[in-house]
């Protein structure tokens, strides 16, 4: 978190330059997506070229993001193959969860029914005692 305070002036400069790049793109008749792209490119380029900010602000370069995405994809592939092996465990777990929720629903329904009966009994007793 402290890097944000150390790099704030540099990020402000980057924002100004990026806004100029975006306005130039707008003057050139480019659409919003291209303007946004120009803004982001100018902003990130400025930060990359500024000393000591590349790791502090950007942290992950495009290459790192690609590596992370590939790694995450591999994890998903591994987990899905594990899921295939453990499919029966998942089914059992879901079945237990479903059974538990049914039991809870039945318990709640029975409790509500009992309470309703008790209330009606009390009401009958009250009405008899009044007469």
């Amino acid at each position: 978190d402290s890097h944000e305070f150390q790099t704030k002036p540099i990020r402000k400069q980057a924002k100004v330059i990026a806004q100029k790049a975006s306005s130039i793109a707008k003057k050139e008749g480019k659409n919003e997506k291209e303007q946004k792209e120009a803004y982001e490119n100018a902003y990130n380029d400025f930060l990359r070229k500024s000393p000591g900010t590349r790791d502090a602000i950007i942290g992950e370069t495009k290459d790192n993001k690609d590596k992370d995405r590939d790694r995450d994809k591999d994890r998903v592939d591994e987990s899905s193959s594990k899921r295939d092996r453990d499919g029966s465990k998942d089914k059992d777990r879901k079945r237990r969860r479903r059974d538990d929720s049914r039991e809870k629903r039945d318990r709640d329904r029975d409790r509500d029914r009992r309470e309703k009966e008790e209330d009606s009994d009390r009401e009958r007793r009250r009405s008899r005692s009044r007469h």
Side-chain angles (χ1 to χ4, degrees):
D1 289 332
S2 64
H3 77 274
E4 290 181 19
F5 299 110
Q6 296 167 358
T7 60
K8 189 171 184 178
I10 296 168
R11 288 185 288 118
K12 279 187 175 183
Q13 286 177 311
K15 182 178 178 184
V16 170
I17 290 171
Q19 287 171 337
K20 287 180 185 175
S22 178
S23 66
I24 291 170
K26 186 175 183 178
K27 287 178 187 174
E28 292 175 354
K30 296 188 177 178
N31 62 28
E32 276 188 47
K33 184 178 178 184
E34 292 171 326
Q35 292 172 28
K36 185 177 179 182
E37 198 172 284
Y39 179 95
E40 290 174 357
N41 289 339
Y43 186 86
N44 290 331
D45 287 345
F46 183 84
L47 293 179
R48 279 191 201 99
K49 292 175 184 173
S50 299
T53 59
R54 180 179 178 141
D55 294 329
I57 295 175
I58 298 174
E60 293 182 13
T61 61
K62 187 176 185 316
D63 295 337
N64 286 342
K65 287 182 181 179
D66 291 342
K67 288 176 187 174
D68 288 345
R69 187 176 29 238
D70 292 343
R71 187 184 65 237
D72 292 344
K73 184 181 180 300
D74 291 342
R75 284 185 189 156
V76 169
D77 291 343
E78 289 172 12
S79 65
S80 63
S81 63
K82 184 178 180 185
R83 214 176 302 121
D84 293 342
R85 288 192 306 267
D86 297 341
S88 60
K89 290 182 183 177
D90 283 346
K91 288 179 184 175
D92 291 343
R93 190 176 301 124
K94 286 179 184 176
R95 190 175 298 124
R96 278 195 306 273
R97 202 175 301 134
R98 188 175 57 235
D99 291 346
D100 289 347
S101 65
R102 283 181 181 164
E103 289 175 17
K104 183 182 182 311
R105 183 193 64 215
D106 292 345
R107 272 195 315 269
D108 291 346
R109 186 188 60 222
D110 292 344
R111 184 196 64 228
D112 292 344
R113 191 177 291 148
R114 279 193 309 271
E115 288 175 355
K116 200 172 190 180
E117 288 173 1
E118 289 171 0
D119 289 345
S120 65
D121 287 347
R122 267 191 232 113
E123 193 59 40
R124 268 191 245 124
R125 279 189 237 125
R126 269 194 226 142
S127 66
R128 287 180 186 164
S129 66
R130 290 181 193 157
H131 294 295

